[in-house]
Amino acid sequence: TETQKFPFIVIEGLDAAGKSTLTETLVNKLGAVKYCTPPPVIQHLRKYFVSLPEILARAYYQLGNYIVAQDIIEECQQRPVIMDRYWHSTAAYGIANESSFADLPEKGHPIYNWPSTLLKPSLVLFLSVTESTRQQRMTGRAGEMTFEERALDKDLFFRKRLVKNPM
């Protein structure tokens, strides 16, 4: 494969941690292009997949990662790419939804291995804010909350599992 001429930077964090704000700032400052997942070509299917069992919802998000990665490979030949969430979120939400705090897979478990066929980012930034700040930011948002946003809102242990995942 071709070597990337420009970086591929991923911004991760819980909902309302400031990912979109930082993504937009970096896009403007670096003359980059913004990507997100799921990509527009399958975005219309999101509402359907999030109502299905967890394993199917994760497969949908994983497919989105692979679709967008193909575009990013080409885009990084022309300019930097900044992405709001990627494989890290897909994996972390899947693991947090399918485990309890006590039975999270240990560091080094194969579930944390990066998929060998998926483009790796040049840099990943994980944003974190206090829960009170996150809650204030969430109240200002419009639209219906997803299952995961509701879980983040109500379930302290779910939030901790997401942040604890030793990826």
Side-chain angles (χ1 to χ4, degrees):
T1 79
E2 253 181 286
T3 304
Q4 289 175 209
K5 292 181 182 174
F6 293 92
F8 166 36
I9 301 169
V10 174
I11 311 300
E12 290 283 359
L14 298 180
D15 294 330
K19 294 181 305 299
S20 297
T21 301
L22 180 57
T23 298
E24 290 301 324
T25 300
L26 289 173
V27 163
N28 293 330
K29 295 281 184 187
L30 299 175
V33 64
K34 175 186 172 184
Y35 275 80
C36 58
T37 189
V41 70
I42 63 168
Q43 180 68 42
H44 66 285
L45 299 171
R46 183 175 186 224
K47 191 171 188 170
Y48 172 73
F49 274 93
V50 298
S51 67
L52 296 176
E54 177 63 23
I55 193 166
L56 296 175
R58 288 303 119 209
Y60 165 74
Y61 286 111
Q62 239 352 333
L63 175 63
N65 290 331
Y66 277 91
I67 290 170
V68 80
Q70 292 307 303
D71 292 338
I72 290 170
I73 291 168
E74 293 177 27
E75 195 71 56
C76 282
Q77 298 308 312
Q78 308 300 318
R79 57 189 166 173
V81 171
I82 312 298
M83 186 154 172
D84 186 338
R85 292 203 167 153
Y86 192 44
W87 179 82
H88 314 83
S89 286
T90 303
Y93 274 93
I95 293 165
N97 279 326
E98 293 295 321
S99 63
S100 71
F101 198 66
D103 71 352
L104 278 175
E106 292 294 319
K107 187 173 184 170
H109 189 283
I111 198 165
Y112 299 124
N113 292 347
W114 191 268
S116 62
T117 56
L118 185 63
L119 176 67
K120 285 184 182 178
S122 310
L123 175 69
V124 178
L125 300 173
F126 182 83
L127 305 183
S128 180
V129 295
T130 65
E131 183 56 20
S132 61
T133 298
R134 199 186 73 73
Q135 289 290 333
Q136 286 175 332
R137 291 176 178 177
M138 286 300 292
T139 38
R141 293 192 173 184
E144 186 179 335
M145 290 176 80
T146 65
F147 163 78
E148 286 149 345
E149 288 169 335
R150 287 191 301 276
L152 280 172
D153 187 45
K154 305 257 185 264
D155 188 344
L156 169 66
F157 293 112
F158 181 70
R159 286 194 306 272
K160 285 185 175 184
R161 287 191 310 272
L162 280 172
V163 175
K164 182 178 179 358
N165 279 328
M167 298 214 192

